[in-house]
Short mmCIF file of all heavy atoms in Angstrom, two decimals:
data_model
loop_
_atom_site.label_atom_id
_atom_site.label_comp_id
_atom_site.label_asym_id
_atom_site.label_seq_id
_atom_site.Cartn_x
_atom_site.Cartn_y
_atom_site.Cartn_z
N MET A 1 -10.03 3.88 -16.21
CA MET A 1 -8.98 4.08 -15.22
C MET A 1 -7.88 3.06 -15.43
O MET A 1 -8.11 1.87 -15.52
CB MET A 1 -9.58 3.96 -13.82
CG MET A 1 -8.57 4.15 -12.73
SD MET A 1 -9.41 4.06 -11.13
CE MET A 1 -8.06 3.62 -10.11
N SER A 2 -6.67 3.53 -15.50
CA SER A 2 -5.53 2.68 -15.68
C SER A 2 -5.14 2.02 -14.37
O SER A 2 -5.38 2.59 -13.29
CB SER A 2 -4.35 3.51 -16.21
OG SER A 2 -3.18 2.73 -16.23
N TRP A 3 -4.52 0.88 -14.40
CA TRP A 3 -4.09 0.22 -13.17
C TRP A 3 -2.76 0.80 -12.68
O TRP A 3 -2.39 0.57 -11.54
CB TRP A 3 -3.99 -1.30 -13.38
CG TRP A 3 -2.98 -1.71 -14.41
CD1 TRP A 3 -3.20 -1.89 -15.74
CD2 TRP A 3 -1.59 -1.98 -14.21
NE1 TRP A 3 -2.04 -2.25 -16.36
CE2 TRP A 3 -1.03 -2.31 -15.44
CE3 TRP A 3 -0.76 -1.98 -13.08
CZ2 TRP A 3 0.29 -2.63 -15.61
CZ3 TRP A 3 0.57 -2.30 -13.26
CH2 TRP A 3 1.09 -2.63 -14.51
N VAL A 4 -2.06 1.53 -13.52
CA VAL A 4 -0.78 2.13 -13.12
C VAL A 4 -1.07 3.42 -12.36
O VAL A 4 -1.59 4.38 -12.92
CB VAL A 4 0.13 2.41 -14.34
CG1 VAL A 4 1.41 3.09 -13.90
CG2 VAL A 4 0.40 1.14 -15.12
N LEU A 5 -0.73 3.45 -11.08
CA LEU A 5 -1.04 4.58 -10.22
C LEU A 5 0.23 5.28 -9.69
O LEU A 5 0.16 6.02 -8.73
CB LEU A 5 -1.92 4.16 -9.04
CG LEU A 5 -3.28 3.55 -9.39
CD1 LEU A 5 -4.02 3.16 -8.12
CD2 LEU A 5 -4.11 4.52 -10.21
N ASP A 6 1.36 5.05 -10.33
CA ASP A 6 2.61 5.63 -9.87
C ASP A 6 2.49 7.14 -9.75
O ASP A 6 1.99 7.82 -10.65
CB ASP A 6 3.76 5.31 -10.84
CG ASP A 6 4.06 3.82 -10.90
OD1 ASP A 6 3.41 3.05 -10.21
OD2 ASP A 6 5.01 3.45 -11.64
N GLY A 7 2.90 7.70 -8.60
CA GLY A 7 2.87 9.12 -8.37
C GLY A 7 1.54 9.66 -7.87
O GLY A 7 1.40 10.84 -7.60
N GLN A 8 0.55 8.77 -7.73
CA GLN A 8 -0.77 9.23 -7.26
C GLN A 8 -0.94 8.89 -5.79
O GLN A 8 -0.36 7.95 -5.26
CB GLN A 8 -1.87 8.56 -8.08
CG GLN A 8 -1.85 8.96 -9.52
CD GLN A 8 -3.03 8.37 -10.28
OE1 GLN A 8 -4.10 8.15 -9.71
NE2 GLN A 8 -2.85 8.11 -11.57
N ARG A 9 -1.77 9.69 -5.14
CA ARG A 9 -2.10 9.45 -3.73
C ARG A 9 -3.34 8.55 -3.66
O ARG A 9 -4.30 8.79 -4.37
CB ARG A 9 -2.38 10.78 -3.04
CG ARG A 9 -1.19 11.74 -3.14
CD ARG A 9 -1.31 12.92 -2.27
NE ARG A 9 -1.44 12.56 -0.86
CZ ARG A 9 -0.44 12.05 -0.12
NH1 ARG A 9 0.72 11.81 -0.67
NH2 ARG A 9 -0.64 11.75 1.15
N ILE A 10 -3.30 7.55 -2.79
CA ILE A 10 -4.44 6.65 -2.64
C ILE A 10 -4.71 6.40 -1.16
O ILE A 10 -3.88 6.65 -0.30
CB ILE A 10 -4.21 5.29 -3.36
CG1 ILE A 10 -3.06 4.51 -2.75
CG2 ILE A 10 -4.05 5.50 -4.84
CD1 ILE A 10 -2.98 3.06 -3.23
N LYS A 11 -5.88 5.87 -0.91
CA LYS A 11 -6.32 5.39 0.40
C LYS A 11 -6.62 3.91 0.21
O LYS A 11 -7.29 3.54 -0.78
CB LYS A 11 -7.55 6.12 0.89
CG LYS A 11 -7.99 5.72 2.29
CD LYS A 11 -9.27 6.43 2.69
CE LYS A 11 -9.01 7.91 2.91
NZ LYS A 11 -10.22 8.58 3.47
N ALA A 12 -6.14 3.06 1.13
CA ALA A 12 -6.33 1.62 0.98
C ALA A 12 -6.40 0.95 2.34
O ALA A 12 -6.12 1.56 3.36
CB ALA A 12 -5.15 1.04 0.17
N LYS A 13 -6.78 -0.31 2.32
CA LYS A 13 -6.80 -1.13 3.53
C LYS A 13 -5.52 -1.97 3.54
O LYS A 13 -5.12 -2.57 2.54
CB LYS A 13 -8.00 -2.09 3.53
CG LYS A 13 -9.29 -1.42 3.86
CD LYS A 13 -9.38 -1.15 5.33
CE LYS A 13 -10.78 -0.67 5.69
NZ LYS A 13 -10.88 -0.34 7.10
N TYR A 14 -4.87 -2.01 4.71
CA TYR A 14 -3.67 -2.84 4.90
C TYR A 14 -3.85 -3.55 6.24
O TYR A 14 -3.88 -2.91 7.28
CB TYR A 14 -2.40 -1.98 4.89
CG TYR A 14 -1.14 -2.77 5.15
CD1 TYR A 14 -0.61 -3.60 4.18
CD2 TYR A 14 -0.52 -2.72 6.38
CE1 TYR A 14 0.54 -4.33 4.41
CE2 TYR A 14 0.63 -3.47 6.65
CZ TYR A 14 1.14 -4.27 5.64
OH TYR A 14 2.29 -5.01 5.87
N LEU A 15 -3.99 -4.85 6.20
CA LEU A 15 -4.22 -5.66 7.41
C LEU A 15 -5.40 -5.14 8.23
O LEU A 15 -5.37 -5.09 9.45
CB LEU A 15 -2.96 -5.73 8.26
CG LEU A 15 -1.74 -6.37 7.63
CD1 LEU A 15 -0.54 -6.26 8.55
CD2 LEU A 15 -2.02 -7.81 7.28
N GLY A 16 -6.44 -4.66 7.53
CA GLY A 16 -7.62 -4.17 8.18
C GLY A 16 -7.55 -2.71 8.65
O GLY A 16 -8.49 -2.19 9.22
N ILE A 17 -6.40 -2.06 8.43
CA ILE A 17 -6.20 -0.69 8.85
C ILE A 17 -6.21 0.20 7.60
O ILE A 17 -5.59 -0.11 6.59
CB ILE A 17 -4.83 -0.53 9.57
CG1 ILE A 17 -4.78 -1.43 10.80
CG2 ILE A 17 -4.55 0.90 9.94
CD1 ILE A 17 -3.40 -1.59 11.40
N THR A 18 -6.94 1.34 7.67
CA THR A 18 -6.98 2.27 6.55
C THR A 18 -5.67 3.09 6.54
O THR A 18 -5.31 3.67 7.58
CB THR A 18 -8.18 3.19 6.65
OG1 THR A 18 -9.37 2.39 6.67
CG2 THR A 18 -8.24 4.13 5.45
N VAL A 19 -4.98 3.07 5.40
CA VAL A 19 -3.73 3.82 5.25
C VAL A 19 -3.82 4.74 4.05
O VAL A 19 -4.64 4.50 3.14
CB VAL A 19 -2.53 2.86 5.09
CG1 VAL A 19 -2.29 2.06 6.35
CG2 VAL A 19 -2.70 1.94 3.90
N GLU A 20 -3.03 5.81 4.05
CA GLU A 20 -2.97 6.74 2.94
C GLU A 20 -1.52 7.02 2.60
O GLU A 20 -0.67 7.04 3.48
CB GLU A 20 -3.64 8.07 3.30
CG GLU A 20 -5.11 7.95 3.53
CD GLU A 20 -5.75 9.31 3.80
OE1 GLU A 20 -5.50 10.24 3.02
OE2 GLU A 20 -6.46 9.42 4.83
N GLY A 21 -1.28 7.27 1.31
CA GLY A 21 0.08 7.58 0.91
C GLY A 21 0.23 7.73 -0.59
O GLY A 21 -0.74 7.78 -1.34
N LEU A 22 1.51 7.74 -1.02
CA LEU A 22 1.89 7.94 -2.39
C LEU A 22 2.32 6.61 -3.01
O LEU A 22 3.17 5.91 -2.42
CB LEU A 22 3.04 8.94 -2.45
CG LEU A 22 3.58 9.32 -3.82
CD1 LEU A 22 2.55 10.13 -4.59
CD2 LEU A 22 4.87 10.09 -3.67
N VAL A 23 1.78 6.27 -4.16
CA VAL A 23 2.17 5.04 -4.87
C VAL A 23 3.53 5.29 -5.52
O VAL A 23 3.67 6.21 -6.33
CB VAL A 23 1.12 4.65 -5.92
CG1 VAL A 23 1.60 3.43 -6.71
CG2 VAL A 23 -0.22 4.38 -5.26
N THR A 24 4.51 4.48 -5.14
CA THR A 24 5.84 4.63 -5.74
C THR A 24 6.10 3.60 -6.84
O THR A 24 7.00 3.79 -7.65
CB THR A 24 6.93 4.49 -4.66
OG1 THR A 24 6.82 3.24 -4.01
CG2 THR A 24 6.82 5.62 -3.65
N TYR A 25 5.31 2.50 -6.85
CA TYR A 25 5.52 1.48 -7.85
C TYR A 25 4.24 0.65 -8.02
O TYR A 25 3.61 0.28 -7.05
CB TYR A 25 6.68 0.55 -7.41
CG TYR A 25 7.08 -0.46 -8.44
CD1 TYR A 25 7.66 -0.09 -9.64
CD2 TYR A 25 6.92 -1.82 -8.18
CE1 TYR A 25 8.06 -1.03 -10.57
CE2 TYR A 25 7.31 -2.79 -9.11
CZ TYR A 25 7.88 -2.38 -10.30
OH TYR A 25 8.27 -3.30 -11.23
N SER A 26 3.87 0.38 -9.28
CA SER A 26 2.72 -0.44 -9.59
C SER A 26 3.22 -1.66 -10.36
O SER A 26 4.09 -1.51 -11.23
CB SER A 26 1.73 0.30 -10.47
OG SER A 26 1.32 1.49 -9.90
N ARG A 27 2.69 -2.82 -10.07
CA ARG A 27 3.09 -4.02 -10.81
C ARG A 27 1.94 -5.02 -10.87
O ARG A 27 1.04 -4.99 -10.05
CB ARG A 27 4.32 -4.67 -10.21
CG ARG A 27 4.05 -5.43 -8.94
CD ARG A 27 5.32 -6.05 -8.38
NE ARG A 27 5.04 -7.02 -7.32
CZ ARG A 27 5.24 -8.33 -7.43
NH1 ARG A 27 5.72 -8.83 -8.56
NH2 ARG A 27 4.99 -9.12 -6.43
N VAL A 28 2.04 -5.91 -11.83
CA VAL A 28 1.12 -7.04 -11.95
C VAL A 28 1.86 -8.27 -11.49
O VAL A 28 2.91 -8.62 -12.03
CB VAL A 28 0.59 -7.21 -13.37
CG1 VAL A 28 -0.31 -8.43 -13.45
CG2 VAL A 28 -0.13 -5.99 -13.85
N LYS A 29 1.34 -8.89 -10.41
CA LYS A 29 1.96 -10.09 -9.89
C LYS A 29 1.64 -11.28 -10.76
O LYS A 29 0.71 -11.27 -11.55
CB LYS A 29 1.44 -10.36 -8.47
CG LYS A 29 1.83 -9.29 -7.48
CD LYS A 29 1.21 -9.43 -6.10
CE LYS A 29 0.79 -10.77 -5.65
NZ LYS A 29 0.31 -10.80 -4.27
N TYR A 30 2.46 -12.31 -10.62
CA TYR A 30 2.20 -13.58 -11.31
C TYR A 30 0.81 -14.04 -10.93
O TYR A 30 0.46 -14.11 -9.75
CB TYR A 30 3.24 -14.63 -10.88
CG TYR A 30 3.10 -15.93 -11.61
CD1 TYR A 30 3.52 -16.04 -12.93
CD2 TYR A 30 2.55 -17.04 -10.99
CE1 TYR A 30 3.40 -17.24 -13.59
CE2 TYR A 30 2.43 -18.24 -11.66
CZ TYR A 30 2.86 -18.33 -12.97
OH TYR A 30 2.73 -19.51 -13.64
N GLY A 31 -0.05 -14.27 -11.91
CA GLY A 31 -1.42 -14.65 -11.67
C GLY A 31 -2.39 -13.52 -12.00
O GLY A 31 -3.59 -13.72 -12.04
N GLY A 32 -1.86 -12.33 -12.25
CA GLY A 32 -2.69 -11.24 -12.74
C GLY A 32 -3.16 -10.22 -11.72
O GLY A 32 -3.79 -9.24 -12.06
N GLU A 33 -2.85 -10.38 -10.42
CA GLU A 33 -3.29 -9.43 -9.42
C GLU A 33 -2.35 -8.22 -9.41
O GLU A 33 -1.13 -8.34 -9.49
CB GLU A 33 -3.31 -10.06 -8.03
CG GLU A 33 -3.88 -9.14 -6.99
CD GLU A 33 -3.99 -9.78 -5.61
OE1 GLU A 33 -3.56 -10.93 -5.43
OE2 GLU A 33 -4.50 -9.11 -4.70
N VAL A 34 -2.92 -7.02 -9.27
CA VAL A 34 -2.16 -5.81 -9.22
C VAL A 34 -1.70 -5.54 -7.78
O VAL A 34 -2.45 -5.79 -6.84
CB VAL A 34 -3.00 -4.60 -9.71
CG1 VAL A 34 -2.22 -3.30 -9.58
CG2 VAL A 34 -3.43 -4.81 -11.16
N GLN A 35 -0.46 -5.07 -7.64
CA GLN A 35 0.08 -4.75 -6.33
C GLN A 35 0.76 -3.38 -6.40
O GLN A 35 1.42 -3.04 -7.37
CB GLN A 35 1.11 -5.80 -5.89
CG GLN A 35 1.70 -5.51 -4.51
CD GLN A 35 2.77 -6.52 -4.14
OE1 GLN A 35 3.74 -6.68 -4.87
NE2 GLN A 35 2.57 -7.20 -3.04
N TYR A 36 0.57 -2.58 -5.32
CA TYR A 36 1.15 -1.24 -5.26
C TYR A 36 2.11 -1.15 -4.07
O TYR A 36 1.84 -1.69 -3.01
CB TYR A 36 0.06 -0.19 -5.09
CG TYR A 36 -0.91 -0.18 -6.25
CD1 TYR A 36 -2.19 -0.68 -6.09
CD2 TYR A 36 -0.53 0.31 -7.48
CE1 TYR A 36 -3.08 -0.68 -7.14
CE2 TYR A 36 -1.42 0.30 -8.55
CZ TYR A 36 -2.70 -0.21 -8.37
OH TYR A 36 -3.57 -0.23 -9.40
N THR A 37 3.24 -0.46 -4.29
CA THR A 37 4.13 -0.10 -3.20
C THR A 37 3.69 1.27 -2.75
O THR A 37 3.66 2.21 -3.54
CB THR A 37 5.59 -0.09 -3.68
OG1 THR A 37 5.90 -1.38 -4.19
CG2 THR A 37 6.52 0.23 -2.50
N LEU A 38 3.34 1.41 -1.48
CA LEU A 38 2.74 2.65 -0.97
C LEU A 38 3.67 3.25 0.10
O LEU A 38 3.95 2.62 1.12
CB LEU A 38 1.37 2.33 -0.38
CG LEU A 38 0.51 3.48 0.07
CD1 LEU A 38 0.16 4.38 -1.08
CD2 LEU A 38 -0.77 2.97 0.72
N GLN A 39 4.12 4.46 -0.17
CA GLN A 39 4.91 5.25 0.81
C GLN A 39 3.89 5.98 1.68
O GLN A 39 3.18 6.86 1.21
CB GLN A 39 5.80 6.23 0.08
CG GLN A 39 6.69 7.05 0.99
CD GLN A 39 7.84 6.24 1.56
OE1 GLN A 39 8.39 5.41 0.88
NE2 GLN A 39 8.16 6.47 2.81
N LEU A 40 3.80 5.61 2.94
CA LEU A 40 2.76 6.13 3.83
C LEU A 40 3.02 7.55 4.25
O LEU A 40 4.15 7.98 4.42
CB LEU A 40 2.66 5.24 5.06
CG LEU A 40 2.32 3.77 4.81
CD1 LEU A 40 2.39 3.00 6.12
CD2 LEU A 40 0.98 3.62 4.15
N ASP A 41 1.92 8.29 4.48
CA ASP A 41 1.98 9.65 5.02
C ASP A 41 2.47 9.64 6.46
O ASP A 41 3.20 10.51 6.88
CB ASP A 41 0.60 10.35 4.94
CG ASP A 41 0.17 10.61 3.51
OD1 ASP A 41 1.02 10.62 2.61
OD2 ASP A 41 -1.05 10.77 3.31
N GLU A 42 2.00 8.67 7.22
CA GLU A 42 2.37 8.51 8.63
C GLU A 42 2.88 7.10 8.86
O GLU A 42 2.38 6.16 8.21
CB GLU A 42 1.15 8.75 9.53
CG GLU A 42 0.55 10.13 9.42
CD GLU A 42 -0.69 10.27 10.29
OE1 GLU A 42 -0.97 9.38 11.11
OE2 GLU A 42 -1.38 11.29 10.11
N GLU A 43 3.86 6.94 9.73
CA GLU A 43 4.36 5.62 10.01
C GLU A 43 3.27 4.72 10.57
O GLU A 43 2.38 5.20 11.30
CB GLU A 43 5.52 5.69 11.02
CG GLU A 43 6.78 6.25 10.42
CD GLU A 43 7.94 6.10 11.39
OE1 GLU A 43 7.75 6.04 12.60
OE2 GLU A 43 9.08 6.05 10.88
N LEU A 44 3.30 3.46 10.19
CA LEU A 44 2.29 2.50 10.60
C LEU A 44 2.80 1.75 11.83
O LEU A 44 3.84 1.08 11.75
CB LEU A 44 1.99 1.54 9.46
CG LEU A 44 0.95 0.47 9.72
CD1 LEU A 44 -0.40 1.09 9.98
CD2 LEU A 44 0.86 -0.48 8.56
N VAL A 45 2.09 1.86 12.92
CA VAL A 45 2.45 1.15 14.15
C VAL A 45 1.43 0.03 14.32
O VAL A 45 0.25 0.28 14.47
CB VAL A 45 2.45 2.08 15.37
CG1 VAL A 45 2.79 1.31 16.63
CG2 VAL A 45 3.42 3.23 15.14
N LEU A 46 1.93 -1.21 14.31
CA LEU A 46 1.06 -2.35 14.49
C LEU A 46 1.23 -2.87 15.93
O LEU A 46 2.31 -2.98 16.46
CB LEU A 46 1.46 -3.46 13.48
CG LEU A 46 1.38 -3.05 12.04
CD1 LEU A 46 1.97 -4.13 11.14
CD2 LEU A 46 -0.06 -2.79 11.64
N PRO A 47 0.09 -3.21 16.57
CA PRO A 47 0.13 -3.60 17.98
C PRO A 47 0.97 -4.86 18.26
O PRO A 47 1.50 -5.04 19.34
CB PRO A 47 -1.31 -3.80 18.37
CG PRO A 47 -2.09 -3.83 17.11
CD PRO A 47 -1.24 -3.22 16.03
N TRP A 48 1.12 -5.75 17.29
CA TRP A 48 1.83 -6.99 17.50
C TRP A 48 3.30 -6.90 17.05
O TRP A 48 4.04 -7.85 17.15
CB TRP A 48 1.17 -8.13 16.75
CG TRP A 48 1.05 -7.89 15.26
CD1 TRP A 48 2.00 -8.12 14.32
CD2 TRP A 48 -0.06 -7.31 14.59
NE1 TRP A 48 1.54 -7.75 13.08
CE2 TRP A 48 0.27 -7.25 13.23
CE3 TRP A 48 -1.31 -6.87 14.99
CZ2 TRP A 48 -0.59 -6.74 12.26
CZ3 TRP A 48 -2.17 -6.38 14.01
CH2 TRP A 48 -1.81 -6.32 12.68
N ARG A 49 3.72 -5.74 16.61
CA ARG A 49 5.08 -5.55 16.13
C ARG A 49 5.84 -4.62 17.09
O ARG A 49 5.42 -3.48 17.31
CB ARG A 49 5.07 -4.95 14.73
CG ARG A 49 6.42 -4.86 14.10
CD ARG A 49 6.31 -4.45 12.68
NE ARG A 49 7.65 -4.23 12.18
CZ ARG A 49 7.94 -4.02 10.93
NH1 ARG A 49 6.99 -3.97 10.03
NH2 ARG A 49 9.19 -3.82 10.57
N THR A 50 6.95 -5.10 17.64
CA THR A 50 7.67 -4.33 18.63
C THR A 50 8.87 -3.57 18.05
O THR A 50 9.47 -2.74 18.76
CB THR A 50 8.17 -5.24 19.78
OG1 THR A 50 8.98 -6.28 19.21
CG2 THR A 50 6.99 -5.85 20.51
N VAL A 51 9.24 -3.83 16.82
CA VAL A 51 10.37 -3.14 16.22
C VAL A 51 9.88 -1.82 15.61
O VAL A 51 8.70 -1.46 15.73
CB VAL A 51 11.05 -4.00 15.12
CG1 VAL A 51 11.67 -5.22 15.76
CG2 VAL A 51 10.07 -4.38 14.05
N ASP A 52 10.75 -1.09 14.94
CA ASP A 52 10.43 0.21 14.38
C ASP A 52 9.17 0.16 13.53
O ASP A 52 8.88 -0.84 12.86
CB ASP A 52 11.58 0.72 13.51
CG ASP A 52 12.81 1.01 14.32
OD1 ASP A 52 12.66 1.25 15.52
OD2 ASP A 52 13.91 0.98 13.76
N ALA A 53 8.45 1.26 13.52
CA ALA A 53 7.23 1.37 12.71
C ALA A 53 7.61 1.40 11.25
O ALA A 53 8.70 1.85 10.88
CB ALA A 53 6.50 2.65 13.09
N GLY A 54 6.74 0.93 10.38
CA GLY A 54 7.00 0.92 8.97
C GLY A 54 6.45 2.14 8.26
O GLY A 54 5.44 2.73 8.68
N ASP A 55 7.10 2.53 7.16
CA ASP A 55 6.60 3.66 6.39
C ASP A 55 6.31 3.29 4.94
O ASP A 55 5.88 4.11 4.17
CB ASP A 55 7.58 4.84 6.45
CG ASP A 55 8.93 4.51 5.85
OD1 ASP A 55 9.18 3.36 5.49
OD2 ASP A 55 9.74 5.45 5.72
N THR A 56 6.51 2.01 4.59
CA THR A 56 6.21 1.52 3.24
C THR A 56 5.49 0.17 3.36
O THR A 56 5.89 -0.67 4.15
CB THR A 56 7.50 1.32 2.43
OG1 THR A 56 8.21 2.57 2.38
CG2 THR A 56 7.21 0.90 1.01
N VAL A 57 4.41 0.00 2.57
CA VAL A 57 3.68 -1.26 2.58
C VAL A 57 3.33 -1.64 1.15
O VAL A 57 3.35 -0.82 0.25
CB VAL A 57 2.37 -1.16 3.40
CG1 VAL A 57 2.67 -0.94 4.89
CG2 VAL A 57 1.44 -0.09 2.89
N PHE A 58 3.04 -2.94 0.95
CA PHE A 58 2.54 -3.45 -0.30
C PHE A 58 1.03 -3.59 -0.17
O PHE A 58 0.56 -4.20 0.78
CB PHE A 58 3.17 -4.78 -0.66
CG PHE A 58 4.65 -4.73 -0.85
CD1 PHE A 58 5.50 -5.39 0.03
CD2 PHE A 58 5.20 -4.02 -1.90
CE1 PHE A 58 6.87 -5.34 -0.15
CE2 PHE A 58 6.57 -3.99 -2.10
CZ PHE A 58 7.40 -4.65 -1.23
N VAL A 59 0.29 -3.06 -1.13
CA VAL A 59 -1.18 -3.08 -1.08
C VAL A 59 -1.70 -3.78 -2.33
O VAL A 59 -1.28 -3.44 -3.44
CB VAL A 59 -1.74 -1.65 -0.99
CG1 VAL A 59 -3.23 -1.67 -1.02
CG2 VAL A 59 -1.23 -0.96 0.26
N ALA A 60 -2.60 -4.70 -2.16
CA ALA A 60 -3.25 -5.36 -3.29
C ALA A 60 -4.22 -4.38 -3.97
O ALA A 60 -4.84 -3.54 -3.32
CB ALA A 60 -4.02 -6.59 -2.82
N GLY A 61 -4.33 -4.49 -5.28
CA GLY A 61 -5.24 -3.63 -6.02
C GLY A 61 -6.68 -3.73 -5.54
O GLY A 61 -7.41 -2.74 -5.58
N SER A 62 -7.06 -4.88 -5.05
CA SER A 62 -8.43 -5.07 -4.55
C SER A 62 -8.67 -4.34 -3.24
O SER A 62 -9.84 -4.17 -2.82
CB SER A 62 -8.71 -6.57 -4.39
OG SER A 62 -7.79 -7.13 -3.45
N GLU A 63 -7.62 -3.88 -2.57
CA GLU A 63 -7.77 -3.20 -1.29
C GLU A 63 -7.76 -1.68 -1.40
O GLU A 63 -7.88 -0.98 -0.40
CB GLU A 63 -6.64 -3.64 -0.34
CG GLU A 63 -6.68 -5.10 0.03
CD GLU A 63 -7.91 -5.48 0.83
OE1 GLU A 63 -8.30 -4.72 1.73
OE2 GLU A 63 -8.49 -6.54 0.54
N VAL A 64 -7.63 -1.17 -2.62
CA VAL A 64 -7.61 0.30 -2.82
C VAL A 64 -9.03 0.83 -2.64
O VAL A 64 -9.98 0.34 -3.26
CB VAL A 64 -7.07 0.64 -4.22
CG1 VAL A 64 -7.20 2.14 -4.49
CG2 VAL A 64 -5.61 0.22 -4.35
N LEU A 65 -9.17 1.84 -1.78
CA LEU A 65 -10.48 2.42 -1.51
C LEU A 65 -10.77 3.63 -2.38
O LEU A 65 -11.87 3.84 -2.85
CB LEU A 65 -10.59 2.83 -0.02
CG LEU A 65 -10.35 1.70 0.97
CD1 LEU A 65 -10.30 2.26 2.39
CD2 LEU A 65 -11.42 0.64 0.84
N GLU A 66 -9.77 4.50 -2.56
CA GLU A 66 -9.95 5.69 -3.43
C GLU A 66 -8.60 6.20 -3.89
O GLU A 66 -7.58 5.94 -3.34
CB GLU A 66 -10.73 6.81 -2.75
CG GLU A 66 -10.31 7.15 -1.34
CD GLU A 66 -11.08 8.29 -0.79
OE1 GLU A 66 -12.16 8.07 -0.21
OE2 GLU A 66 -10.60 9.43 -0.91
#
């Protein structure tokens, strides 16, 4: 399995919340960890955030579930 997941749908953990969406960008961070930019299927509403809900998150490769 390649680490480049651009254009693929994934499920991952983000701040302890399971999210799903489309990978728009894959990169290797300084130090060797993989990071994905994930366009979410549904906006993410966080209980401690009072501004607009987010629709894009950065996910570590180690947090990808499927």
Side-chain angles (χ1 to χ4, degrees):
M1 179 177 157
S2 172
W3 63 269
V4 178
L5 299 179
D6 295 1
Q8 295 185 30
R9 303 191 59 70
I10 65 169
K11 183 184 291 187
K13 284 284 189 183
Y14 177 75
L15 298 175
I17 301 168
T18 302
V19 294
E20 294 184 50
L22 181 70
V23 176
T24 57
Y25 187 65
S26 304
R27 75 181 192 112
V28 177
K29 295 174 25 176
Y30 183 75
E33 185 177 5
V34 177
Q35 181 183 56
Y36 300 107
T37 303
L38 187 62
Q39 182 74 38
L40 300 175
D41 293 339
E42 299 177 10
E43 288 189 334
L44 180 63
V45 179
L46 301 172
W48 58 85
R49 186 173 173 171
T50 57
V51 294
D52 295 336
D55 63 353
T56 303
V57 295
F58 297 114
V59 177
S62 60
E63 296 295 318
V64 174
L65 302 173
E66 47 177 87

